[in-house]
Amino acid sequence: MLETIHFYHTNDLHSHFEYWLRSQFFIRKERLAYAERGEPSFLFDIGDHLDRSNIYTEATLGLGNVKLLNEAQYDVVTIGNNEGITLDFDELYHLYDEANFEVVVANLKAANRENPKWLKPYTILETKYGTKIGVIGATAFYELFYKELQWDIVEPRKKIISIVKQLREQVDILLCLSHLGITEDELLAQDCPDLDVIFGSHTHHFLETGKMVNGVLLTGCGKFGAYTGHLTIQFDHRERKIIRKEEKIIDNALLPEIDGEVEFLEQLSSTGKELMSETIFQTTKSYNKEWFHHSQISRLFAKAVLEHTGADCAMFNAGIFLDGLKKGNISKYDIHRILPHPINLCVVEITGRQLKEVFLQAKNDEWSQLELKGLGFRGLIFGKILTYDFSVNKNRELIVKGEVSDLNRTYQLATLDMFTFGYFFPNFKYAKKKYFLPYFLRDVLIDYCKRYLN
């Protein structure tokens, strides 16, 4: 007997719901048609379904996303870094309490208490014909972030391989939901040919018909809900082996529009606004924003950053402010609109000599016009890098807090976590760092304004 099994999969939606209704309507219709033909099907999500830059996700702290996944009848999901490190411990611990699907994350566990009931390293699905399908999940190895949030995370590849060895003789098909990125997926395929398919995500890669590496099929459907993957596996029951695995990608923009799409998006937005409408503080004046030089709101935010971290100086890009702060009553929604980014503060310890180098690097005019996508940044353009309490004078001396610095002394620089990954400032990648989690930039500003502007 030849059995055909279908797997629909999504990844890195980041709370972009523009095509959600039409894509889920299409998947549901397809799955019903396959069921009538006796062909089993499953639906997976490979992480980063939520993104707290979205007002509905922010207002519900991801529980609204779980509700949507339930309604769409997902079977198995794994978590991405947006689920894992943008919620505090309790928020993630209870995120999937009401989930009607299974959540698999092999390389994560709670540090100081029992794991949540939903957290498991793998699951075994079974078709009506008795075919057993092992599904392992793993998420990106952000060790410092998870440690601050009271979770223990281990290197994923070794963990996945150990589970594959455990499961290979128990199941007919072995799948991995990988929120690790294309490079890690390729390395995993090289090290673990016993896997049949690695469903990929995290790096937003797009593999139109998949990619075969060492006999393992890799998938990737881009980002923001633009595409849905459809994997077909044909399993030979007599030979007890897969004889075909085929991937194709569905362009959701080309699917028929569904009645109520605009109203659906408006309802999500209005629900978020309503939940975040309560006044949290008041201002007696407005604070303007500027993207190419200092502004009233950037100076206000710098004070908040320095007080929150206790650092010697601060640095951030002006493009983080999407709007200014109005005069009058301010709600959580107002602050979220200004600072939607899921970005945390980080204090980096560097020498005065390195701090001087950072200041000179930050003067790169090309960065100010950069249309940055990713690293937590959810703005339009990068804007000028602003520095507070440190500069370089005409004599090329480093000035920190108004005084000429000792280039050999260690200073604490408060900055954005996105600057610490090595892309902009290579020195930061290997420096001693402290991340301030789970507080986002907007939380820091709210806390300061509550105490000093009310």
Side-chain angles (χ1 to χ4, degrees):
M1 173 190 168
L2 295 181
E3 180 184 8
T4 302
I5 311 169
H6 302 271
F7 301 88
Y8 289 92
H9 54 100
T10 56
N11 63 271
D12 297 288
L13 195 82
H14 286 274
S15 294
H16 281 257
F17 301 119
E18 293 83 356
Y19 300 128
W20 180 256
L21 284 188
R22 71 177 68 175
S23 65
Q24 294 306 319
F25 179 84
F26 172 80
I27 293 169
R28 191 177 304 113
K29 183 179 178 182
E30 291 276 292
R31 294 184 72 185
L32 285 171
Y34 287 130
E36 290 176 1
R37 285 158 45 181
E39 298 179 1
S41 66
F42 300 94
L43 179 55
F44 300 153
D45 186 79
I46 327 297
D48 276 2
H49 187 274
L50 69 81
D51 190 312
R52 289 183 61 183
S53 63
N54 176 279
I55 189 67
Y56 177 69
T57 297
E58 173 72 358
T60 63
L61 292 173
L63 295 177
N65 293 69
V66 174
K67 180 175 180 287
L68 292 172
L69 290 166
N70 279 340
E71 291 170 352
Q73 297 182 326
Y74 274 72
D75 295 293
V76 189
V77 311
T78 193
I79 70 167
N81 44 290
N82 273 271
E83 286 87 8
I85 62 175
T86 71
L87 297 169
D88 71 25
F89 178 84
D90 285 329
E91 289 161 357
L92 176 57
Y93 195 91
H94 294 291
L95 179 62
Y96 298 105
D97 285 354
E98 303 300 321
N100 296 330
F101 47 84
E102 297 195 78
V103 184
V104 290
V105 197
N107 60 325
L108 187 70
K109 65 178 183 178
N112 302 312
R113 59 185 290 189
E114 289 184 11
N115 284 336
K117 292 180 180 179
W118 52 262
L119 180 60
K120 57 180 69 175
Y122 64 88
T123 188
I124 297 177
L125 306 173
E126 187 169 351
T127 73
K128 66 178 182 179
Y129 303 107
T131 304
K132 292 184 177 180
I133 305 164
V135 185
I136 307 165
T139 197
F141 185 52
Y142 287 102
E143 187 176 20
L144 289 177
F145 287 83
Y146 278 108
K147 185 177 181 180
E148 286 287 333
L149 291 166
Q150 307 304 309
W151 294 94
D152 286 335
I153 190 167
V154 297
E155 194 281 320
R157 205 181 328 154
K158 291 180 181 178
K159 188 68 176 178
I160 293 168
I161 291 171
S162 70
I163 295 173
V164 167
K165 289 178 180 177
Q166 172 188 342
L167 289 182
R168 185 67 273 187
E169 298 304 315
Q170 301 178 37
V171 300
D172 302 297
I173 298 170
L174 256 180
L175 312 175
C176 180
L177 308 188
S178 162
H179 199 89
L180 305 176
I182 183 63
T183 301
E184 272 298 314
D185 289 351
E186 290 172 346
L187 291 170
L188 177 60
Q190 290 290 353
D191 290 352
C192 190
D194 280 338
L195 280 169
D196 295 305
V197 180
I198 299 173
F199 292 95
S201 63
H202 186 49
T203 43
H204 302 172
H205 50 283
F206 180 83
L207 303 175
E208 191 167 4
T209 57
K211 179 180 181 180
M212 198 67 76
V213 177
N214 198 24
V216 183
L217 181 63
L218 276 53
T219 78
C221 295
K223 63 180 180 179
F224 297 168
Y227 304 98
T228 299
H230 177 194
L231 170 76
T232 303
I233 287 181
Q234 198 165 48
F235 184 74
D236 188 327
H237 279 256
R238 186 177 65 178
E239 298 290 332
R240 305 305 299 175
K241 68 177 184 180
I242 294 172
I243 60 171
R244 180 172 67 93
K245 45 189 176 183
E246 187 176 274
E247 166 78 353
K248 69 176 182 180
I249 284 183
I250 300 144
D251 188 339
N252 292 330
L254 301 181
L255 295 175
E257 291 185 27
I258 301 297
D259 288 343
E261 284 186 333
V262 173
E263 291 80 4
F264 168 72
L265 294 174
E266 288 176 348
Q267 181 59 49
L268 294 183
S269 179
S270 63
T271 298
K273 290 177 184 177
E274 183 178 348
L275 290 171
M276 299 178 68
S277 62
E278 184 180 352
T279 297
I280 50 176
F281 63 86
Q282 293 178 315
T283 60
T284 57
K285 67 172 188 176
S286 61
Y287 294 80
N288 77 310
K289 65 97 176 154
E290 300 285 350
W291 283 342
F292 302 111
H293 47 84
H294 296 269
S295 64
Q296 292 167 323
I297 195 168
S298 73
R299 294 185 184 96
L300 177 68
F301 183 65
K303 291 177 181 177
V305 168
L306 290 169
E307 179 172 291
H308 187 79
T309 62
D312 298 305
C313 47
M315 178 182 73
F316 48 85
N317 57 303
I320 62 172
F321 305 107
L322 271 60
D323 202 351
L325 189 62
K326 67 182 182 181
K327 178 182 177 180
N329 295 335
I330 306 297
S331 67
K332 281 188 176 181
Y333 171 71
D334 294 320
I335 299 297
H336 186 275
R337 186 171 52 82
I338 294 169
L339 289 167
H341 328 279
I343 292 176
N344 308 102
L345 291 176
C346 180
V347 168
V348 183
E349 289 192 9
I350 52 177
T351 64
R353 185 169 283 102
Q354 291 170 322
L355 187 60
K356 180 179 178 180
E357 182 181 342
V358 165
F359 181 84
L360 297 175
Q361 286 177 300
K363 294 173 71 68
N364 186 338
D365 289 335
E366 293 180 3
W367 287 351
S368 63
Q369 297 287 349
L370 180 66
E371 294 182 7
L372 179 65
K373 303 294 182 185
L375 300 176
F377 184 71
R378 303 294 186 259
L380 302 174
I381 60 172
F382 190 75
K384 179 182 175 63
I385 293 188
L386 308 175
T387 60
Y388 290 90
D389 281 359
F390 78 108
S391 61
V392 173
N393 66 14
K394 293 180 180 179
N395 298 324
R396 298 189 64 81
E397 297 171 312
L398 176 67
I399 308 298
V400 180
K401 291 184 175 180
E403 297 182 357
V404 176
S405 74
D406 177 353
L407 294 182
N408 295 315
R409 178 186 159 187
T410 298
Y411 291 93
Q412 293 190 327
L413 171 64
T415 190
L416 312 182
D417 63 18
M418 70 175 182
F419 288 150
T420 67
F421 303 131
Y423 180 80
F424 294 98
F425 300 98
N427 282 338
F428 291 174
K429 190 170 184 180
Y430 303 105
K432 183 178 179 181
K433 296 182 283 286
K434 175 176 173 53
Y435 292 97
F436 285 75
L437 303 173
Y439 312 104
F440 287 153
L441 307 184
R442 53 183 174 268
D443 299 319
V444 174
L445 182 61
I446 287 171
D447 180 65
Y448 185 84
C449 291
K450 276 183 174 180
R451 286 184 289 120
Y452 293 104
L453 297 190
N454 271 334

